[in-house]
Amino acid sequence: MSSPVLRSRNVLKRNSMRFAAALLAALASFVAGPNVALAAAPQHHDQVPGFYRLKVGDLEVTALFDGPGVFDSHWLNGTKATMDGVVKALHEDPHMLDAVDTGYLVNTGKHLILVDAGSGTWYGGGKLGHLAGNLRSAGYTPEEVDIVVVTHLHSDHIGGLTTQDGKRVFPNAEVYVAKPENDFWLSPEIAAKAPKDAQPFFQSAQAIAEPYIKAGKWHTFSGSEPIVDGMQIVPLHGHTPGHTGYEFSSMGQTILFWGDTINVQRVQLQHPEVTNIFDIDPTAAAATGNQLLSKLAHEDVLIAGPHMLFPGLGRLHKEGSGYSWAPVAFTDQWDEK
Ligand SMILES: [Zn+2]
């Protein structure tokens, strides 16, 4: 045991040594600058892989990012008052029309089902087309996909199926599409009469479908007969002639893949009556959307929206005269029961 006097002397000695060390460090930084010991951290220009997984009952659902996009305000149709409001809001917030393109993989345990395939190289001027790469990052290969269901035949939903030189990206997949959709976009007669602006949609749909048709892997459905157990076909007429949602249920949980029900979430959730120039029957599209959104806001249904901000998984709630979107919270505990 040391005496109190000795202890206090030691404390004094320690304190003066600390003071001297601090003084030296301060002098050194004064001479050489404050960050001399730290190399500048390089910035990184890559991102986490573009996939997001969650469980819906026993189903494993993986959102696959295809790429970013921005909707053009001129593509929206609404009342003058609504559109004036959108244009004004856009001045204050240039990110209002941000959108993305996403496809979804459903692993049922029996089947590996892709719901929409992104744009590939058929749409988006080179900014899109990352779905197949992100599918690999998520631990799968395109060869493992045995079923593809598509919500409609616009190139931002089927472009990822086929390369520009006509090769099937998912060589083992059977592709399913609603018959009215198939009969419209793949009809040479309808294509010939279509306005010039619409021609590229017909041409790309035909080129993308062709290798699957030739291989006997392109199928249409007319009724509501499910393609696999646990799946329901949900006709969502209006955007295109056979626009279709797919609902999967497992162990009391449900997820709906709603295609292009909403293209621009920050405008259309507040104004569900706003349609876009790609809606082939805008009146029907608005009616279908209104009915569906109202129903979903009263149900605990998880929604997967290809153009909702990634991963485009969330739920709807009523808010004022429109709806609010409650995105799923990020978690790495998705496999826990
Ligand atoms: Zn779309």
Side-chain angles (χ1 to χ4, degrees):
M1 288 288 279
S2 52
S3 74
V5 176
L6 254 178
R7 264 210 310 272
S8 68
R9 266 192 206 143
N10 283 342
V11 168
L12 267 175
K13 199 173 156 198
R14 252 196 332 263
N15 283 350
S16 64
M17 279 169 73
R18 275 186 194 152
F19 176 74
L23 189 67
L24 274 172
L27 275 171
S29 74
F30 179 75
V31 172
N35 295 324
V36 68
L38 283 176
Q43 293 184 341
H44 296 275
H45 301 285
D46 55 354
Q47 180 56 287
V48 293
F51 71 87
Y52 179 81
R53 250 198 271 281
L54 88 174
K55 274 282 187 101
V56 178
D58 272 343
L59 306 170
E60 179 210 77
V61 176
T62 309
L64 302 172
F65 190 62
D66 194 52
V70 180
F71 215 76
D72 191 316
S73 62
H74 297 103
W75 295 346
L76 292 168
N77 288 322
T79 62
K80 189 177 178 314
T82 303
M83 294 319 297
D84 286 351
V86 169
V87 170
K88 188 167 172 272
L90 201 53
H91 278 300
E92 287 153 19
D93 179 359
H95 294 288
M96 233 179 105
L97 303 182
D98 285 1
V100 301
D101 197 3
T102 300
Y104 297 90
L105 207 54
V106 182
N107 189 342
T108 68
K110 275 188 188 164
H111 295 288
L112 189 59
I113 305 169
L114 181 65
V115 185
D116 284 344
S119 298
T121 54
W122 299 85
Y123 186 83
K127 282 194 171 176
L128 302 157
H130 303 143
L131 182 139
N134 286 323
L135 179 141
R136 288 181 192 278
S137 299
Y140 292 105
T141 65
E143 290 75 18
E144 287 178 295
V145 174
D146 58 347
I147 293 174
V148 177
V149 292
V150 296
T151 57
H152 60 300
L153 294 185
H154 279 165
S155 50
D156 57 319
H157 296 258
I158 58 167
L161 292 177
T162 304
T163 62
Q164 284 290 334
D165 57 353
K167 296 220 165 53
R168 283 174 287 144
V169 174
F170 302 96
N172 301 316
E174 309 290 331
V175 183
Y176 292 86
V177 59
K179 192 165 188 303
E181 188 72 8
N182 177 86
D183 292 355
F184 182 79
W185 296 108
L186 302 189
S187 160
E189 295 78 36
I190 297 173
K193 287 182 208 146
K196 203 163 173 276
D197 287 356
Q199 290 293 341
F201 286 102
F202 287 91
Q203 286 156 10
S204 58
Q206 290 168 11
I208 292 160
E210 196 184 335
Y212 291 89
I213 294 170
K214 274 191 180 156
K217 287 181 171 292
W218 187 265
H219 311 279
T220 61
F221 55 84
S222 310
S224 53
E225 193 68 22
I227 295 156
V228 294
D229 287 347
M231 174 212 268
Q232 282 234 314
I233 284 165
V234 184
L236 297 172
H237 177 65
H239 181 55
T240 54
H243 187 238
T244 301
Y246 299 93
E247 193 176 272
F248 289 76
S249 297
S250 169
M251 302 181 66
Q253 294 184 40
T254 300
I255 181 167
L256 171 68
F257 298 87
W258 75 5
D260 277 9
T261 297
I262 296 287
N263 281 276
V264 195
Q265 67 187 84
R266 293 189 53 209
V267 175
Q268 289 176 295
L269 287 178
Q270 275 314 299
H271 301 283
E273 76 284 2
V274 170
T275 57
N276 64 70
I277 57 166
F278 306 107
D279 291 327
I280 225 140
D281 183 344
T283 310
T288 299
N290 273 323
Q291 207 178 12
L292 182 68
L293 298 181
S294 158
K295 180 171 170 279
L296 290 172
H298 292 99
E299 293 174 356
D300 182 28
V301 172
L302 188 63
I303 297 157
H307 301 311
M308 307 296 279
L309 299 181
F310 191 76
L313 295 161
R315 291 177 175 81
L316 267 195
H317 299 289
K318 190 90 188 90
E319 188 180 273
S321 57
Y323 299 90
S324 64
W325 175 250
V328 293
F330 182 91
T331 176
D332 55 1
Q333 306 297 306
W334 61 273
D335 202 17
E336 301 214 335
K337 292 277 185 289

